[in-house]
Amino acid sequence: MFSSFLQSAAAPAAVSGALAVAAALLAVSSAAAESNQPIEIREWEVPYDGRPRDPFAAGEDEIWFVGQVNGYLGRLTPSSGVFFRRDLGEGAGPHNLVVDDGGMVWFAGNRNAYIGRYDPATDKIERIEMPDGKARDPHTLVFDADQSHIWFTVQHGNFIGRLARADRAVDLVPVPTDGARPYGIKVAPGGTVWSVLLGTNKLASVDPQTLAIAEYTIPAEDARPRRLEITDDGRVWYADYARGMLGRYDPKTKAFAEWSLPSGAKSLPYGTALDGQGRIWIVETGPQPNQFVGFDTKTEEIVSVTPVPSGGGTVRHMMYHPQADVIWFGADTGTIGKAAVSRSAP
């Protein structure tokens, strides 16, 4: 098991320009380092090959994840370090999972065009097939507020989907822009569904009542948003993978703003999570080791930069567990990790 208690820092970005683009260099300074707060990261080595990723905390001592390459569901019991594996069969390519309040594990069968439901008590798997052959690659899943529906992206099929848990009905909403590649997905406090479109410089929203879809163009043509978070005020924050920026869109004012991440254009920001204090945590996957970066959305400042102990390789997706005030992540170095973000509280 890897662990660290490390600290580094970056100066806050300044806001400037007609688009309120905060693109100042975030140079490390001794003063910033003294004011910055460290976080502790622990990692467990997964005893199975196959790119463990996208963990979901069903409880403080029950962490589910997928093995994308070798096609399995995994479970870590952190208190004992014991792992469990459930093989999914040939070609499943599970990409992501979520766990409902009843303990059922729902996962994206990314290579076989289905969403799966796994019951740990019976060891049975139910497959919900996509109703359109073009929806070949369900990607990232998220519950709505009451868990009555699972919303999901279909990256190369170019859909945003909705699965009703009660009757397994699936609705597919085509994304207007060809080759948009809907990727990360979140549900806003009011119920609106938001996705980032990795193949474009756009965001998208879906009305959960009418399934009407709208697109929003990021001013920078070369922007490529990959993951997103939504704060309580409804603002949409996104990691611009191509440009090394943290961006924000305000649906009320229609305004965009951006901040440069510490590693700049080489940042490759990927996995993100929003904690209970309104801070967004982003992993820069360009640097090796990957950098775990904290950004305070209230003060609009970088508050922490911590290397991933195992190196990370690429951290692709993260989940904040509010009951424990920690962030869980999977790393291409073959680990499941936990970041104790409460340790960085002022």
Side-chain angles (χ1 to χ4, degrees):
M1 181 174 64
F2 300 93
S3 65
S4 74
F5 199 108
L6 303 172
Q7 173 182 3
S8 60
V15 178
S16 63
L19 297 175
V21 176
L25 293 176
L26 303 182
V28 174
S29 69
S30 58
E34 290 175 359
S35 65
N36 204 11
Q37 301 294 324
I39 65 170
E40 182 179 7
I41 298 176
R42 299 179 65 185
E43 295 178 84
W44 287 259
E45 294 183 84
V46 178
Y48 324 116
D49 293 332
R51 188 185 289 169
R53 58 173 296 165
D54 294 33
F56 191 101
E60 292 190 35
D61 209 29
E62 183 182 353
I63 313 302
W64 289 88
F65 61 95
V66 298
Q68 183 180 13
V69 176
N70 285 353
Y72 64 84
L73 301 178
R75 185 184 63 216
L76 163 66
T77 304
S79 62
S80 65
V82 172
F83 284 85
F84 162 83
R85 170 174 172 157
R86 174 48 157 100
D87 289 318
L88 298 176
E90 185 68 25
H95 190 275
N96 177 257
L97 60 74
V98 292
V99 184
D100 66 33
D101 289 342
M104 300 299 108
V105 181
W106 301 78
F107 62 93
N110 184 250
R111 295 179 185 170
N112 278 351
Y114 73 95
I115 290 176
R117 176 185 180 273
Y118 173 63
D119 184 339
T122 65
D123 197 43
K124 292 183 179 179
I125 291 176
E126 175 188 356
R127 289 173 59 127
I128 299 98
E129 307 289 343
M130 294 295 100
D132 187 329
K134 296 178 182 177
R136 61 188 184 275
D137 59 332
H139 189 272
T140 299
L141 316 179
V142 65
F143 289 118
D144 59 10
D146 64 2
Q147 296 193 351
S148 60
H149 295 87
I150 296 172
W151 290 86
F152 59 96
T153 51
V154 182
Q155 183 185 184
H156 295 290
N158 218 42
F159 295 99
I160 294 173
R162 180 180 67 180
L163 166 64
R165 287 180 56 206
D167 61 6
R168 309 299 196 256
V170 175
D171 297 298
L172 295 171
V173 182
V175 176
T177 298
D178 290 339
R181 297 179 62 190
Y183 206 88
I185 187 168
K186 294 287 180 176
V187 179
T192 300
V193 180
W194 288 86
S195 177
V196 283
L197 307 180
L198 179 60
T200 71
N201 60 322
K202 295 179 180 180
L203 314 175
S205 68
V206 177
D207 184 315
Q209 303 302 320
T210 66
L211 298 186
I213 188 170
E215 294 182 335
Y216 310 84
T217 302
I218 299 169
E221 291 186 6
D222 55 347
R224 291 296 181 269
R226 194 153 199 171
R227 295 291 186 192
L228 76 160
E229 302 296 331
I230 305 174
T231 42
D232 289 343
D233 57 10
R235 291 177 173 181
V236 180
W237 300 77
Y238 56 90
D240 183 346
Y241 186 76
R243 298 169 58 239
M245 309 289 282
L246 173 64
R248 184 188 69 201
Y249 175 67
D250 188 334
K252 295 177 182 177
T253 65
K254 315 299 183 187
F256 284 88
E258 292 182 333
W259 291 262
S260 177
L261 291 169
S263 299
K266 297 181 180 180
S267 171
L268 302 182
Y270 202 160
T272 63
L274 174 69
D275 74 12
Q277 298 183 52
R279 298 170 301 183
I280 292 175
W281 297 86
I282 311 132
V283 176
E284 297 184 310
T285 62
Q288 296 296 327
N290 288 182
Q291 302 289 331
F292 217 96
V293 178
F295 180 88
D296 190 320
T297 62
K298 298 181 179 69
T299 63
E300 300 179 356
E301 295 177 330
I302 298 286
V303 295
S304 180
V305 182
T306 305
V308 175
S310 69
T314 298
V315 174
R316 302 165 185 270
H317 186 72
M318 305 199 294
M319 182 244 186
Y320 174 66
H321 187 220
Q323 290 81 2
D325 199 19
V326 299
I327 291 172
W328 287 95
F329 64 92
D332 283 6
T333 44
T335 66
I336 296 297
K338 179 178 73 172
V341 294
S342 61
R343 296 298 297 270
S344 64

